[in-house]
Amino acid sequence: KKMVSGSEVFLVLVCAVARASAAASASGSASSSASEGLLSKDFADLRVVCVGCSSGIGRATAEELLRGGAKVVVSSRTLKNCEKVVSGFDNGHAFAADCHVAGDVSSLAKAAKDFFGGEKITGFVWVPTAEGGGPPFSAGAEQVIDGMRSQMAVNVEGLIHFVDLILDDLKATR
């Protein structure tokens, strides 16, 4: 049993960025397939929940974990986008959750535990959302504050609630 360390998460992010960069700049498959071999890491013993990972760096990170063999639950508010990430992988599961909603966060933790078949969750990736960046300051103080509250609900409150739900799993895999 193994918990994802900070250095492993960093490695996954570096690999994901390198892959995305190689894919964007490669006109042929030779460059892309060369980077595939160089960046591969075995994550087969990991069970990871990736929140907010249906696009961008979150998606690249989830795909890197999936390619490495980790069992991964990919979650965002849009199920269709999550399904695109896990398509083609037997070790991935898509789950829609709005992390503004405590019930959705609880359902996500339960769905992950069910998908992992009783095995403990070994780590998670939580990609903060900017909710479109919030309104500009010229919109008025109340709108700016409301936008900040919305971001805090997802990025801080949702995260704290999720960690609370999976903390025993994380401790058990140390």
Side-chain angles (χ1 to χ4, degrees):
K1 294 179 180 179
K2 178 178 165 185
M3 188 163 85
V4 178
S5 70
S7 61
E8 284 178 318
V9 169
F10 178 74
L11 174 63
V12 169
L13 288 171
V14 168
C15 290
V17 170
R19 274 192 208 279
S21 176
S25 65
S27 58
S29 61
S31 171
S32 190
S33 63
S35 69
E36 295 269 335
L38 293 173
L39 301 175
S40 294
K41 177 153 172 67
D42 181 14
F43 295 118
D45 58 342
L46 300 179
R47 291 159 309 280
V48 183
V49 180
C50 295
V51 179
C53 293
S54 64
S55 64
I57 190 67
R59 179 180 180 146
T61 303
E63 288 173 342
E64 185 67 24
L65 287 163
L66 288 161
R67 268 191 291 280
K71 287 185 178 178
V72 178
V73 172
V74 175
S75 179
S76 75
R77 289 181 288 188
T78 309
L79 182 60
K80 183 178 179 182
N81 293 343
C82 297
E83 289 170 338
K84 289 178 187 176
V85 177
V86 301
S87 70
F89 294 100
D90 293 335
N91 53 323
H93 177 69
F95 189 85
D98 183 344
C99 293
H100 282 98
V101 180
D104 279 14
V105 175
S106 297
S107 295
L108 170 60
K110 182 185 179 322
K113 290 178 182 192
D114 290 347
F115 178 69
F116 299 146
E119 294 184 74
K120 302 289 186 192
I121 296 169
T122 57
F124 66 94
V125 176
W126 190 283
V127 178
T129 179
E131 293 287 305
F137 283 106
S138 61
E142 281 304 312
Q143 285 184 301
V144 171
I145 291 169
D146 286 345
M148 291 174 69
R149 283 186 183 126
S150 175
Q151 289 179 24
M152 292 292 287
V154 172
N155 297 327
V156 178
E157 294 171 26
L159 173 61
I160 290 169
H161 183 62
F162 183 73
V163 169
D164 184 53
L165 292 168
I166 67 166
L167 189 57
D168 289 340
D169 281 14
L170 297 174
K171 286 179 181 178
T173 59
R174 286 190 68 124

